[in-house]
Amino acid sequence: MILLLPLLIPIAGAAILLGFGTNGRARFIAVVAGAAEIAALLRVALVVYSSGPVQYGRFLRVDGLSSFFLLNLALVFGLVLVYSLDYLRHVEGERFSSARWFYALLLFFVFTMVGVCLSANLGLLWIMMEATTLASALLVGFYNTRGAVEAGWKYLIVCTVGIAFALFGTIVLYLAAIKSGLPPENALDWTALMAAVPRLGGDVRLLRLAFVFVVVGYGTKIGFVPMHSWLPDAHAESPSPISALLSAVLLNCAMYTLLRYDAIISRATGTHFTHTLLLAFGVLSLVVAGLLIVVQRDLKRLLAYSSIEHMGIVAIGVGLGGGLGLYGALLHTFSHSFGKTLLFFAAGNVRQNYGTLRMERIGGLARSFPKTALALALGSLAIVGLPPFALFVSEFAILNAAFSQSRIWVAAAFLVTLTVVFGGMLHHLFGMFFRETKITPMPARMAFSEALPIAIAVVGLVWFGVHIPAGFKDLINQAIAVL
């Protein structure tokens, strides 16, 4: 039941909300179901940390890598759940755009992401990744405006095409496994594939072809350039809690999936091809998104391009490989989750107070809304990688790996882009904080349920930047050992 409960709880909660819930009871039901889900996920992570991998049948399994990403999901989901309690006060509760539908879809979205991390079979993993698209597309279009519906459809179409490429890659890997002598029932089992790595290397071209399809397919969900077109629109039109979940968890789930394939194929064919491809996509995403950050006019689109930039940084860490590169990449996924959750929550407050996210129309933020301005400032300093925040530690580890491997071109692109991003973020923030506003903002207000998750995210960023607990280091090392 330890692996079934995290799947059953959100489905049951969503069913209760849709079948018996009303908008008045929706928050209570969601909080109860969400708390139970978080407890179940933390229990899974604790059991794996203390006792090792857990298997249930042929299709469900959790190890050090999946428990690391489940822990990330549990923490961000908890923050999103608390922040949503007051954020949804402006939802009128008519037709689809109601608190009841929001929480039901949110729980279903969590179910799909948990399913990704618990899948022992690459075929089931593909199914669950496609399910994340279906669940989150409805949340992207939640406000039912023209822009939101357009963003939802764009997200659905682009990511479905990308997932189709990932399916082709999975089929090609299946063929390679069959040709190597694996029985058909085990040809997509991750544990069996890892054990059969020496035999898989007999057809290198087939494995490389599979990896190309997989990188393009799941790279679309990650937001790699040039497959990133859905991401800025989806983040800009989604409710802010959903933007945080997309950036801080969904992108990590797609990266987790890519890590699984990389662990198999790079061990079978050697790391040169797979890691060079990851480095190319990582540097391209880093540089292009970093330059586009400078010219953005919408606050949430700015944060969306920042997510693309940071997924590029994670891909660079994985592409560099080795203990230091993987350590930096995994730590960066976790740190980026806290930073981007903080920023999207702050952006949600800006939208509530000003009624817009167009940065040229926002002014006097430091004077009118000092708490929101402080959250934006701290989140921006963290996300550009300044000390004492956690992203400085992970980026420093990845840079160290690049220099130790004499990848000077990677390190140079990394440092130059970070400098450009720092200047762009400073320019945008300075304008919003100190220019004269063009619109009359609402009276200053930040509810406790909004301030609490923002404060927790700030504490997490500083804490992991100053001192990473020994237990968390052990979690990362267990995840690296799986790879």
Side-chain angles (χ1 to χ4, degrees):
M1 290 301 291
I2 190 174
L3 298 188
L4 288 178
L5 274 177
L7 295 171
L8 294 176
I9 291 171
I11 284 293
I16 291 171
L17 278 164
L18 293 180
F20 306 100
T22 62
N23 288 327
R25 293 196 294 258
R27 288 174 176 81
F28 174 76
I29 297 172
V31 168
V32 171
E37 176 68 1
I38 292 167
L41 292 175
L42 293 179
R43 182 180 175 223
V44 170
L46 182 62
V47 169
V48 174
Y49 177 75
S50 58
S51 305
V54 179
Q55 180 97 20
Y56 180 79
R58 290 174 50 195
F59 294 101
L60 297 180
R61 184 177 186 274
V62 62
D63 55 24
L65 182 65
S66 45
S67 67
F68 176 82
F69 282 88
L70 286 174
L71 177 64
N72 174 80
L73 193 162
L75 295 177
V76 175
F77 174 52
L79 297 178
V80 166
L81 197 61
V82 174
Y83 182 83
S84 300
L85 295 177
D86 197 72
Y87 179 84
L88 290 179
R89 67 181 182 272
H90 64 283
V91 173
E92 297 177 359
E94 297 179 2
R95 298 180 63 189
F96 174 72
S97 298
S98 65
R100 181 169 68 106
W101 272 98
F102 177 88
Y103 287 118
L105 291 171
L106 177 62
L107 288 172
F108 181 61
F109 187 27
V110 169
F111 160 77
T112 61
M113 293 187 289
V114 171
V116 168
C117 295
L118 293 182
S119 297
N121 182 283
L122 296 182
L124 178 60
L125 187 149
W126 179 87
I127 292 171
M128 298 309 296
M129 279 301 301
E130 174 67 358
T132 64
T133 304
L134 299 176
S136 51
L138 295 173
L139 287 166
V140 168
F142 178 76
Y143 286 133
N144 211 23
T145 63
R146 180 175 180 176
V149 172
E150 181 181 344
W153 275 109
K154 184 176 182 179
Y155 168 54
L156 185 65
I157 293 170
V158 173
C159 286
T160 299
V161 172
I163 291 295
F165 275 87
L167 177 61
F168 296 152
T170 303
I171 293 171
V172 173
L173 179 60
Y174 175 83
L175 293 175
I178 294 294
K179 289 181 66 176
S180 71
L182 273 177
E185 62 271 17
N186 291 333
L188 287 179
D189 183 86
W190 192 80
T191 306
L193 287 167
M194 288 291 283
V197 157
R199 286 184 287 162
L200 285 176
D203 198 333
V204 173
R205 289 180 298 177
L206 206 57
L207 291 175
R208 288 178 175 174
L209 179 63
F211 193 72
V212 170
F213 276 121
V214 167
V215 168
V216 172
Y218 290 123
T220 303
K221 285 298 287 278
I222 295 169
F224 286 160
V225 174
M227 296 89 69
H228 67 287
S229 60
W230 66 271
L231 200 148
D233 291 336
H235 282 63
E237 297 295 338
S238 303
S240 288
I242 301 306
S243 297
L245 209 58
L246 289 171
S247 184
V249 182
L250 179 63
L251 303 188
N252 285 354
C253 283
M255 185 63 74
Y256 161 84
T257 305
L258 194 54
L259 285 170
R260 290 289 187 188
Y261 282 86
D262 176 65
I264 298 167
I265 296 174
S266 64
R267 286 162 66 94
T269 66
T271 60
H272 178 73
F273 176 80
T274 57
H275 285 192
T276 300
L277 196 59
L278 286 173
L279 283 174
F281 274 112
V283 171
L284 182 64
S285 301
L286 171 70
V287 173
V288 171
L291 294 175
L292 288 173
I293 283 173
V294 178
V295 297
Q296 292 308 303
R297 296 183 177 182
D298 183 279
L299 179 57
K300 287 179 70 175
R301 290 181 71 89
L302 170 74
L303 300 180
Y305 280 107
S306 173
S307 295
I308 296 170
E309 173 215 351
H310 283 278
M311 286 300 105
I313 292 174
V314 174
I316 289 171
V318 177
L320 292 170
L324 192 57
L326 285 174
Y327 182 87
L330 291 174
L331 179 59
H332 200 78
T333 61
F334 195 85
S335 305
H336 172 256
S337 295
F338 272 105
K340 205 48 64 69
T341 299
L342 165 61
L343 283 170
F344 275 115
F345 288 173
N349 285 103
V350 171
R351 186 175 196 169
Q352 287 179 332
N353 293 325
Y354 283 88
T356 183
L357 288 169
R358 299 288 293 182
M359 289 184 286
E360 71 270 15
R361 294 177 58 81
I362 298 170
L365 189 64
R367 181 178 62 257
S368 301
F369 305 99
K371 294 179 182 178
T372 301
L374 180 62
L376 267 180
L378 292 176
S380 299
L381 292 176
I383 215 71
V384 298
L386 292 183
F389 299 103
L391 284 97
F392 170 78
V393 180
S394 56
E395 290 179 0
F396 188 83
I398 294 171
L399 268 175
N400 199 340
F403 280 116
S404 65
Q405 297 179 25
S406 299
R407 304 266 192 171
I408 304 302
W409 65 278
V410 174
F414 199 118
L415 290 171
V416 171
T417 304
L418 289 185
T419 305
V420 172
V421 169
F422 175 76
M425 294 290 286
L426 188 65
H427 168 73
H428 293 309
L429 286 179
F430 190 88
M432 289 190 294
F433 285 2
F434 302 113
R435 76 162 66 95
E436 291 296 324
T437 182
K438 297 181 179 180
I439 56 179
T440 303
M442 300 287 288
R445 183 181 185 275
M446 181 183 287
F448 177 76
S449 63
E450 295 174 323
L452 179 61
I454 288 175
I456 292 173
V458 172
V459 171
L461 286 167
V462 175
W463 183 18
F464 281 79
V466 174
H467 172 71
I468 300 176
F472 188 77
K473 289 180 183 178
D474 291 340
L475 278 175
I476 295 180
N477 289 328
Q478 286 183 1
I480 292 174
V482 172
L483 298 172

